[in-house]
Amino acid sequence: MIEISKDKNKLDVLFIQNFLKDIYWAAGRTIEEVQRTIDASVCFGIYLNGKQIGFARVITDYVVFAYLMDVFISEEFRGNGYSSLLIEKMMNDPELQEVKIWRLATTDAHFLYEKFGFTPLAHPEKMMEKVVK
């Protein structure tokens, strides 16, 4: 049975950190850093028969802007539509329905996010960033 929950008490922080520490977008993130990101975000865990198999989080002000981050499904459970279920649950969450602008960054999952209305930036020349190493 699949369950998707926003209950942060159910999250397996060690499971999340073990995945993120080796993935290109979060390499080296410590358990303490993972916990801080969880504390500051709206989080969604996906569970199969009570075992966490994936995770995603949203940084938001609940009205104007939301940024989708750290979306993943454990490798052994990929290809079963679980990522689509997770994204759908997030996009339909009652607390997030007023958000006007959603953003994310992806290198290889455009096909997934396009199903939920994500498109390339209309005006990327207006976007700026500051990266601290």
Side-chain angles (χ1 to χ4, degrees), residues 66-106:
Y67 195 87
L68 184 53
M69 300 186 72
D70 295 339
V71 179
F72 73 87
I73 301 293
S74 290
E75 193 168 334
E76 64 267 31
F77 298 103
R78 292 181 191 161
N80 295 301
Y82 297 141
S83 58
S84 291
L85 291 173
L86 182 57
I87 304 288
E88 182 177 16
K89 181 75 167 183
M90 290 188 310
M91 300 306 296
N92 291 320
D93 186 83
E95 287 188 309
L96 301 173
Q97 291 309 295
E98 290 185 46
V99 174
K100 310 291 186 285
I101 299 169
W102 286 79
R103 292 230 169 96
L104 60 85
T106 185

Side-chain angles (χ1 to χ4, degrees), residues 3 11 13 20 26 34 43-45 47 56 58 61-62 68-69 80 85 95 101 110 115 123:
E3 176 191 8
L11 293 172
V13 179
L20 291 177
V34 169
C43 298
F44 294 80
Y47 307 86
V58 178
D61 60 17
Y62 297 95
L68 184 53
M69 300 186 72
N80 295 301
L85 291 173
E95 287 188 309
I101 299 169
H110 296 79
K115 292 190 288 187
H123 300 284

Side-chain angles (χ1 to χ4, degrees), residues 16-74:
I16 296 166
Q17 193 265 338
N18 277 332
F19 182 89
L20 291 177
K21 71 179 176 51
D22 296 325
I23 199 71
Y24 70 91
W25 74 80
R29 199 176 293 168
T30 67
I31 191 88
E32 293 82 13
E33 290 170 329
V34 169
Q35 185 62 61
R36 286 177 58 198
T37 66
I38 289 170
D39 292 344
S41 304
V42 180
C43 298
F44 294 80
I46 184 167
Y47 307 86
L48 178 61
N49 299 322
K51 177 185 175 191
Q52 188 169 358
I53 63 166
F55 175 75
R57 67 188 182 95
V58 178
I59 300 169
T60 187
D61 60 17
Y62 297 95
V63 177
V64 178
F65 186 79
Y67 195 87
L68 184 53
M69 300 186 72
D70 295 339
V71 179
F72 73 87
I73 301 293
S74 290

